[in-house]
């Protein structure tokens, strides 16, 4: 297991469409474990492979459904096959530290893909989980949540995003302790 450094806004891997995996192998399962470890270390609810600089279509999520239950899984080669409704809520991204903005997304999504062992899965998600899934699938397409804001809002964030792209992290930014650069 290892914690990988999360790529920050401005990194080309965040702007590249990740490639289909096909058949998950041991290497892919190692990547999934690292994504889980990294997501946990950064206290995230989701992480896509692009965010650690790996251009394979796989993400992990760990989203609270209510006070007791969480949805935690990896999805390989995910495809959103249907969407309905709409929801608007605040989003953030481990790759865009310091930026939190309201984003409109579908309320319900049905998604297909493979688990990390290659077994086909189909999931219907709503609410927070649906939001996280759409955010992570966007990552695999090289799309970031700030792309989905109204133009005026994006304009407002321009300097902040340019600063991130220059490598200037927010003053209170704390990468997790114990991270191993790789
Ligand atoms: Ni993100």
């Amino acid at each position: 297991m290892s914690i990988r450094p999360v790529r920050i806004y401005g990194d080309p891997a965040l702007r590249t469409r990740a490639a289909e995996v096909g058949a998950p192998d041991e290497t892919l399962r190692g990547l999934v474990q690292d994504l889980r470890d990294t997501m946990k270390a950064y206290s995230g609810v989701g992480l896509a492979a692009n965010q650690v600089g790996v251009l394979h279509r796989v993400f992990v999520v760990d989203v609270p459904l209510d006070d007791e239950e969480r949805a935690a899984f990896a999805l390989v080669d995910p495809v959103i096959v249907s969407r309905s409704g709409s929801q608007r809520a605040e989003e953030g991204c481990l790759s865009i530290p310091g930026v939190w903005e309201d984003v409109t997304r579908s309320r319900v999504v049905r998604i297909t893909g493979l688990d990390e062992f290659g077994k086909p899965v189909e999931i219907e998600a709503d609410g927070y989980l649906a939001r996280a899934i759409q955010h992570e699938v966007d990552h695999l397409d090289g799309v970031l949540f700030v792309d989905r804001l109204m133009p005026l809002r994006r304009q407002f964030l321009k300097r902040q995003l340019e600063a991130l792209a220059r490598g200037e992290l927010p003053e209170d930014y704390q990468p997790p302790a114990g991270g191993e650069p790789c």
Side-chain angles (χ1 to χ4, degrees), residues 51 92-94 135-136 139:
Q51 291 180 277
C93 180
L94 295 178
H135 180 115
E136 300 313 327
H139 271 303

Side-chain angles (χ1 to χ4, degrees), residues 80-169:
I80 294 175
V81 291
S82 71
R83 317 169 162 267
S84 63
S86 107
Q87 57 168 323
R88 187 165 175 80
E90 194 172 63
E91 267 180 50
C93 180
L94 295 178
S95 295
I96 314 179
V99 176
W100 293 87
E101 292 286 333
D102 282 357
V103 182
T104 302
R105 297 201 183 263
S106 302
R107 188 175 58 80
V108 181
V109 294
R110 182 169 285 276
I111 188 165
T112 61
L114 306 172
D115 70 10
E116 68 264 48
F117 302 100
K119 189 178 147 216
V121 289
E122 182 165 353
I123 294 158
E124 188 176 88
D126 64 11
Y128 192 9
L129 179 59
R131 163 175 301 282
I133 286 170
Q134 291 168 81
H135 180 115
E136 300 313 327
V137 171
D138 270 357
H139 271 303
L140 301 179
D141 291 331
V143 174
L144 299 170
F145 83 93
V146 290
D147 303 339
R148 300 201 173 277
L149 303 176
M150 303 290 278
L152 267 177
R153 203 61 209 160
R154 272 211 307 275
Q155 188 62 29
F156 178 79
L157 291 170
K158 197 164 175 252
R159 285 190 184 185
Q160 211 175 335
L161 294 173
E162 284 171 354
L164 284 175
R166 285 194 302 269
E168 296 166 21
L169 291 165

